[in-house]
Amino acid sequence: MKRLYLLFYLSLVSVLSNAQSPVMEKVSLFTHQQYASLEALYKHLHQHPELSLKEEKTARLMADTLKNLGFTVQEGIGGYGLVGVIKNGDGPTVLIRADMDALPLEEKTGLPYASTAKGINPAGEEVSVMHACGHDIHMTVFVGTALALVAHKNQWKGTLVMVAQPAEENGLGADLMFKAGLYDKIPPPDYAIALHDNASLPAGKVGYRAGAFMASVDMMDIRVFGEGGHGAAPHTTIDPIVLSAAMINTFQTIVSREINPIEPAVVTVGSIHGGTVHNIIPDEVRMQLTLRSYSQEVRNQTIAAIRRITKNMALMAGLPEDKVPVISIRDPQTPATINDVALTERLVEVFRTNLGADNVVEMPPNMVGEDFSRFGLQDQKVPICMFWLGAVDPALVRQTEEEGIDLPSLHSPYFAPLPEPTIKTGIKAMSAAALSLFGK
Ligand SMILES: [Zn+2]
Ligand SMILES: [Zn+2]
């Protein structure tokens, strides 16, 4: 008898700790049955990555997959962007977005399905290509969610809009899709949701943050001029390499000495090029910077500081007014991603119910950027929520914590998501979110 009580108690605990709705139990079982083909899709995408604005074959695959599931698909929206729409009776319109592009990196994970793909970068050079940001995970979850929602169409009412976006990595894709009139081509969304895999959160968990989630991004180019000459006669020149080095050191004081310490900001010089050979002092150096912040004030303050430092240091080096550095900021500037508070709180409840409260983690804001922000910032205001999807082997997270070493980050050639629990959790979270927003 005692044993029976214990069994009853244990089953009650398991029901209470993971009280999925009956429809989500069906979705989980369905995803489990579909998993082998989803993993095959993931590995295919992983081995066939395409660079930003070159996502031709990836977009073809996404479009064909959505068409086969009964979506009405429109392609070529801002490059290789595409959208699939399914109308399933009266109800809200829920937009789910995934991004498709990969990065110019040589994969070093050593996985049996590692990418050996090559692509052509904007400079026309052949480069290795890798899904080092996990957009292959995003697309697999996107397809798995579409499959699950279509298979359980009798369980929800509304309009499902699935957007596959190109060129997230260079910040151009969402802007291109909206300039091509994305929101004029689809029923107006009531909600837009997306996920991004996370390189420190264990697979099986999701992370959330209401409000400020990711930073704004500016791409800045600086041309520093000098007066070139023989490397053995530096006194007859104004060396732009030495000048650039001094500027870069001074940039380090913008965040540490000028910005209010409680305001997040980043100034990173990611690229510097100047000169040709050992013994020529060149007459120009080019730098590329990324600037991150969460407010327009901090953004303006950072840009003004860079303008002031570069101009005055050039004058101090003896350059004339017409040779002060030229600064340009590339379009488009990516706005900060601010998650709608009410929508996020609603999804957090859904995640807790379906994944278990322990698997839903509040995360700090992050200085990476995401052009998903634009889905909420068009003329038509749409509440948005992007959440983190844990992608790392939980044993590896424990081990690296114990040893005090860092895991490979997103954009690392060593970033290796653990496919099965990541993909299954992603589909469960995204399907549960959509079903809840459809009012199920
Ligand atoms: Zn990325
Ligand atoms: Zn990404």
Side-chain angles (χ1 to χ4, degrees), residues 4 26 70 80 102 112 156 163 232 238 289 300 302 312 362 376 397 438:
L4 262 181
K26 286 184 198 159
Y80 291 109
W156 56 275
V163 176
I238 296 176
L289 285 73
N300 292 345
T302 306
N312 287 295
E362 187 172 20
V397 175
F438 284 128

Side-chain angles (χ1 to χ4, degrees), residues 103 133 135 168-169 196 410-411:
L103 287 157
C133 205
H135 297 181
E168 187 281 327
E169 293 295 354
H196 202 296
L410 295 175
H411 292 205

